[in-house]
């Protein structure tokens, strides 16, 4: 059997033209913590320690870039919470084969998703 060179997904990086707006969004709205910082880059992770970390680097968001999905216990409550904080909603909560999903955007326009499993 051939050895595989890819072991695991290690990091996801989103690009933003405004790192401070991204920091505020992921920290204050999404409830994440900044793990590491460097000039023009942040690495964030969930405060509860559950789930993957990802990076945010300065640059223009890519069209069709990576998708970040979070699991939620209540998609409708999350929707109301995001709306109350002025987050741009791209798709209202709706039922999908895998559960109830919502699509929203960070300040740079990166598409973000959350779903409530069936």
């Amino acid at each position: 059997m051939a050895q595989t060179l890819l072991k695991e997904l290690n990091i996801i990086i989103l690009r933003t033209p405004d790192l401070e707006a991204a920091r505020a969004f992921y920290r204050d709205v999404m409830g994440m913590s900044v793990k590491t910082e460097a000039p023009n880059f942040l690495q964030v992770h969930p405060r509860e320690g559950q789930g993957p970390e990802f990076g945010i680097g300065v640059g223009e968001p890519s069209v069709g870039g990576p998708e970040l999905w979070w699991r939620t216990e209540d998609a409708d409550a999350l929707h109301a919470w995001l709306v109350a904080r002025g987050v741009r909603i791209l798709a209202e909560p709706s039922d999908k084969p895998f559960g109830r999903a919502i699509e929203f955007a960070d300040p740079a326009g990166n598409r973000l998703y959350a779903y409530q499993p069936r």
Side-chain angles (χ1 to χ4, degrees):
M1 173 157 58
Q3 179 184 15
T4 180
L5 297 176
L6 298 174
K7 301 296 183 190
E8 64 186 38
L9 178 62
N10 185 262
I11 191 166
I12 299 166
I13 298 176
L14 295 177
R15 299 291 174 188
T16 181
D18 187 341
L19 196 59
E20 290 309 310
R23 176 196 316 272
F25 177 80
Y26 287 99
R27 182 190 60 214
D28 302 337
V29 175
M30 299 300 291
M32 303 187 88
S33 295
V34 174
K35 181 178 179 181
T36 57
E37 294 186 56
N40 300 319
F41 184 81
L42 299 172
Q43 188 171 353
V44 297
H45 67 99
R47 284 194 180 132
E48 303 295 322
Q50 301 290 321
E53 299 173 351
F54 65 95
I56 304 165
V58 172
E60 290 302 315
S62 60
V63 175
E67 290 185 4
L68 297 178
W69 284 81
W70 283 273
R71 186 172 47 83
T72 182
E73 299 297 319
D74 187 335
D76 295 300
L78 174 63
H79 172 259
W81 189 77
L82 292 170
V83 168
R85 285 158 179 76
V87 175
R88 185 165 54 112
I89 304 299
L90 302 175
E92 301 288 322
S94 63
D95 293 323
K96 307 288 185 194
F98 53 85
R100 190 154 177 79
I102 180 175
E103 181 180 351
F104 53 103
D106 73 4
N110 290 300
R111 293 176 177 267
L112 304 171
Y113 306 85
Y115 76 101
Q116 176 183 339
R118 288 201 178 279

